[in-house]
Amino acid sequence: MKLWALVVKDIKLSAKSNYTYIVLVFVIVFVVVAVFFVPDEFTNDPEVFVHAGTEGLLSGKIEKALDVDEVVFYGSRDEVISNMKKDRTSIGVDITTENGKMVIEFITQGYESERLKKILEAHVMGWAALETGYEPNSYVTVLESNNPDIPANKGMLPVFLVMESAFMGFFMIAAYVFQDKEEGTIKAYAVTPAKIWQYLLSKVLVFVLFGWVSGLLATIIIMGPGIRYLQFMLLLTSASIFGSMLGLIAAGLFTSFTKAMNVIFVVAFVLGITVIPYYMPSFSPVYIRILPTYPLLFAFREVLFPTGNTVLVYTNVLGYLAASAVLFYIANKLFEKKLV
Amino acid sequence: MIKVNGLWHSYSKDNIYAVKNVTFGVEKGEIFGFLGPSGAGKSTTQGILTGLLPLQKGEVYVGGYDLKKPCDDMFNIIGVSFEQPNVYGKLTAVENLEFFARLYDVPVNDPMHLLKMVGLENDAKKKASEFSKGMKQRLVFARSMLNNPEIWFLDEPTAGLDPATAGRIKEIIRDRNKKGTTIFLTTHNMYVADELCDRVAFINDGEIVLIDSPRNLKLKYGDRLVEVEYREEGELIKETFSITDDNERQKLTRLIASGNIETMHTKEATLEEIFIKVTGRGLK
């Protein structure tokens, strides 16, 4: 009953502040950006302009060998060069035959990376080896053959769910408790027979609710009905609880938002840094992998784009719930020691 | 109802004490005034009695509850009216009271009835942030009556109120006291204390320097003087007579007999004058 009264009061206060609307606007902006502005796939591949002496026979094979978005064939080397001057992101290839041997010339703009040049060279040389009857001695082995091809715009969703929906409570709960401290309403609460854990839990529940609203809205619109919503809700709830608990600890350690601000921003930065290995898996040092948001990002990705690794999801759910229980105990002790 | 014995408190947890060896008791049905200037230790003592500050050293019993073993049940029998207008600004007056009413385990007063008592019935559905400081103060005062407290802690209950509203608040205090509520009144306003309190304690630099009824204090520390304004040959004369001095008493008797007196007042000492006499500093 008391907990319910607290939850209702906190929802009323949130509804009467701008916070609810900020959450909704943020969700809408994210969804609009993801759906209308971010393409399915980002590509840095340049256009390749090709002059091939035997265009008719080879063009299909060359196109396949280059494995880039766009290959444009021209009738002469000069034509390739003049078009490259018009499109400074393009690369040229001139294929001719001399004394029965294939001669391949790569024409570059001059500022391409060595990596790109090597990749292009490897592609064309591999094709050339096949054409001239030599088997290429390199193979590609795919480790995770069932990895889904995640569209770039949908791939942003786990980041949104972690940073906005799950960890919203971290920033906001601290702000709400500090407001209670500043207004002195926490003192008025402290002289009633209600418990401290009820005060803390009501705030957590409210931010879990907000997490649900923002997370579900964005996910339903972007992903539609075809994902495992039970797993999704379990993960979102446990992570929201954990984020809110971190906020309670911050609010319990400091007396005002100004004093806590530095710590809150540092923690937010540290938690946010895990987005880097999410997009660049080659950079995932141990000190980032041990951060709580790291497994969470991949757990959300698993729920949204399943590869069959449900253990990852449930491990995260249980881990976050266990950690939340410990943090709630600590927060309770901190507030019992000094509520006002 | 309240028993405090050898209470000490240090915010820095060292030898700098905000409250030093404070001892007093408050009987059931009594209005007990706690008077002192800012920083004297009033708020610290009240903070400990209301459970807002931890009990570090000494014995404190409130309504029979030992504050060494804090118990939530105690909050069902106490009410606290803060000096700070600590209400939820985004909630209306009635929403504020309805929320706090749900936190008690005992029957509570109807929020609208309480708002009417303090003259806020027409502003019940107005957001508290739109209230003046005095209105917020009345809302805090009304909130402290929600659970019909047996022990009522009032911190400057008339501060910032106009005389009419202050009079209404004092009337409510007297009325509840008549019904048996024990009141612990913290103030630096000597007139409020003088008007309402059965006994007052003077606290200065964390120590209680005096405890007695206002009347006894005045008798003990005041000069028994009478101030008279009278006309003599058309001229208005103002004179003060001691009623303990034989000559001056006879002169006063002659003046009364002459019928020339226009105004006459006894000049007992105010609580503030007594405080200054005892501590060497004012109450402000």
Side-chain angles (χ1 to χ4, degrees):
Chain A
M1 183 63 188
K2 288 177 193 174
L3 182 61
W4 178 244
L6 280 156
V7 170
V8 170
K9 181 265 297 175
D10 282 330
I11 289 175
K12 271 186 189 172
L13 288 176
S14 304
K16 289 181 181 184
S17 69
N18 294 329
Y19 177 66
T20 317
Y21 308 104
I22 291 171
V23 169
L24 284 175
V25 167
F26 203 83
V27 173
I28 292 164
V29 167
F30 173 75
V31 168
V32 168
V33 168
V35 173
F36 297 107
F37 293 99
V38 179
D40 282 358
E41 199 173 344
F42 287 113
T43 177
N44 291 323
D45 290 347
E47 271 192 287
V48 181
F49 297 160
V50 177
H51 162 246
T54 49
E55 181 195 325
L57 293 169
L58 298 177
S59 60
K61 289 177 183 173
I62 292 171
E63 202 167 346
K64 196 177 172 192
L66 289 172
D67 191 26
V68 292
D69 277 356
E70 206 166 340
V71 178
V72 184
F73 288 92
Y74 292 103
S76 68
R77 184 177 179 277
D78 290 344
E79 235 181 302
V80 166
I81 290 170
S82 73
N83 280 291
M84 278 178 70
K85 283 177 182 170
K86 288 178 200 157
D87 181 354
R88 304 297 286 186
T89 63
S90 62
I91 286 178
V93 179
D94 181 37
I95 304 168
T96 52
T97 50
E98 199 175 291
N99 301 327
K101 287 184 180 174
M102 188 177 290
V103 179
I104 302 170
E105 181 191 4
F106 296 101
I107 308 162
T108 60
Q109 301 278 359
Y111 45 73
E112 293 81 355
S113 67
E114 280 305 312
R115 184 171 163 268
L116 182 72
K117 287 179 197 168
K118 293 285 180 198
I119 288 170
L120 186 69
E121 190 180 332
H123 276 307
V124 176
M125 295 310 284
W127 162 78
L130 278 173
E131 278 304 303
T132 50
Y134 293 102
E135 286 292 323
N137 57 0
S138 60
Y139 301 91
V140 176
T141 304
V142 179
L143 293 175
E144 293 286 346
S145 56
N146 61 343
N147 258 351
D149 193 11
I150 301 171
N153 54 352
K154 291 184 178 177
M156 291 162 58
L157 188 55
V159 178
F160 173 84
L161 291 171
V162 171
M163 298 306 165
E164 164 68 13
S165 304
F167 277 82
M168 174 201 303
F170 170 63
F171 307 99
M172 294 309 299
I173 212 163
Y176 271 52
V177 173
F178 288 132
Q179 192 180 334
D180 282 356
K181 285 185 179 182
E182 272 167 34
E183 282 185 339
T185 46
I186 202 163
K187 271 188 187 174
Y189 179 83
V191 295
T192 71
K195 315 263 188 213
I196 289 167
W197 69 262
Q198 291 168 325
Y199 171 83
L200 301 179
L201 188 59
S202 83
K203 297 245 181 305
V204 172
L205 291 177
V206 169
F207 284 100
V208 169
L209 184 69
F210 277 117
W212 283 354
V213 172
S214 75
L216 273 174
L217 259 179
T219 306
I220 289 171
I221 296 171
I222 292 174
M223 300 299 295
I227 66 155
R228 297 168 185 166
Y229 276 101
L230 178 65
Q231 280 183 18
F232 174 79
M233 289 305 287
L234 283 173
L235 191 60
L236 182 59
T237 306
S238 58
S240 294
I241 293 172
F242 179 79
S244 302
M245 292 300 168
L246 283 182
L248 284 182
I249 298 285
L253 286 172
F254 298 93
T255 50
S256 72
F257 195 77
T258 319
K259 287 178 184 165
M261 207 160 60
N262 292 342
V263 171
I264 287 175
F265 281 123
V266 167
V267 174
F269 174 78
V270 169
L271 293 176
I273 210 166
T274 52
V275 173
I276 299 172
Y278 176 77
Y279 281 113
M280 290 170 54
S282 56
F283 175 73
S284 52
V286 177
Y287 62 83
I288 287 186
R289 276 184 282 145
I290 58 168
L291 295 173
T293 42
Y294 180 84
L296 186 61
L297 276 166
F298 291 95
F300 269 118
R301 196 170 75 173
E302 175 60 32
V303 171
L304 301 173
F305 311 101
T307 62
N309 190 5
T310 49
V311 174
L312 176 68
V313 179
Y314 290 116
T315 310
N316 267 271
V317 171
L318 292 175
Y320 275 109
L321 289 178
S324 299
V326 174
L327 290 179
F328 190 59
Y329 177 79
I330 295 169
N332 217 32
K333 288 287 165 198
L334 282 173
F335 278 83
E336 264 176 19
K337 209 172 167 189
K338 202 170 185 218
L339 181 64
V340 293
Chain B
M1 290 299 266
I2 299 173
K3 197 174 141 194
V4 177
N5 194 13
L7 178 66
W8 295 75
H9 192 87
S10 166
Y11 286 100
S12 45
K13 291 179 183 166
D14 51 18
N15 290 329
I16 303 163
Y17 290 98
V19 168
K20 300 169 204 164
N21 198 23
V22 164
T23 300
F24 64 91
V26 182
E27 296 301 318
K28 184 171 169 56
E30 190 179 13
I31 303 184
F32 187 84
F34 214 53
L35 263 77
S38 300
K42 301 189 303 283
S43 299
T44 306
T45 306
Q46 180 164 314
I48 296 165
L49 297 187
T50 53
L52 288 171
L53 289 172
L55 175 58
Q56 292 175 349
K57 191 178 168 189
E59 284 180 341
V60 178
Y61 292 89
V62 174
Y65 291 97
D66 182 356
L67 293 200
K68 267 184 194 149
K69 303 163 201 157
C71 170
D72 289 333
D73 285 344
M74 180 186 90
F75 297 109
N76 281 315
I77 64 156
I78 71 165
V80 184
S81 177
F82 296 89
E83 184 185 11
Q84 181 193 10
N86 54 354
V87 293
Y88 289 107
K90 291 192 174 79
L91 298 184
T92 65
V94 73
E95 281 173 338
N96 263 285
L97 296 192
E98 280 169 353
F99 162 64
F100 280 99
R102 291 190 193 109
L103 302 181
Y104 290 97
D105 308 309
V106 291
V108 289
N109 281 312
D110 172 30
M112 277 312 291
H113 170 67
L114 293 175
L115 289 174
K116 199 171 177 184
M117 277 175 78
V118 297
L120 289 174
E121 69 273 27
N122 295 327
D123 303 293
K125 296 201 172 159
K126 208 188 259 185
K127 272 189 192 176
S129 58
E130 294 167 18
F131 281 12
S132 67
K133 195 184 172 201
M135 289 164 84
K136 284 182 189 165
Q137 200 64 52
R138 281 185 275 161
L139 182 56
V140 169
F141 183 77
R143 186 180 66 199
S144 70
M145 290 186 281
L146 272 168
N147 56 329
N148 284 309
E150 289 174 35
I151 304 170
W152 199 11
F153 293 91
L154 303 174
D155 192 356
E156 306 286 1
T158 58
L161 301 181
D162 62 82
T165 314
R168 195 172 186 171
I169 295 296
K170 281 185 267 188
E171 204 48 53
I172 295 170
I173 295 169
R174 279 193 207 97
D175 186 51
R176 293 194 72 86
N177 177 244
K178 271 183 205 159
K179 290 174 183 162
T181 305
T182 306
I183 295 165
F184 185 89
L185 174 70
T186 307
T187 185
H188 65 259
N189 187 324
M190 58 183 173
Y191 298 109
V192 172
D194 198 0
E195 243 181 290
L196 294 172
C197 296
D198 299 313
R199 282 192 306 146
V200 293
F202 285 172
I203 185 164
N204 186 42
D205 289 334
E207 291 175 281
I208 289 187
V209 288
L210 269 181
I211 299 182
D212 212 331
S213 68
R215 178 183 156 76
N216 285 348
L217 289 173
K218 286 176 200 170
L219 289 175
K220 191 171 173 188
Y221 290 93
D223 295 320
R224 300 178 67 192
L225 302 172
V226 175
E227 192 179 78
V228 177
E229 282 182 328
Y230 61 96
R231 281 200 185 272
E232 200 172 77
E233 293 169 0
E235 191 186 347
L236 185 69
I237 297 170
K238 192 174 176 180
E239 209 170 334
T240 304
F241 300 93
S242 167
I243 52 173
T244 52
D245 181 281
D246 282 348
N247 286 336
E248 291 200 16
R249 199 167 56 231
Q250 281 171 16
K251 197 177 172 189
L252 177 64
T253 310
R254 282 198 298 275
L255 254 178
I256 295 168
S258 73
N260 291 335
I261 291 176
E262 293 195 350
T263 66
M264 185 162 76
H265 301 283
T266 55
K267 276 268 298 179
E268 68 270 21
T270 64
L271 290 179
E272 177 147 25
E273 284 165 345
I274 298 168
F275 191 91
I276 292 167
K277 204 174 221 176
V278 174
T279 66
R281 64 188 282 203
L283 277 166
K284 298 289 178 195

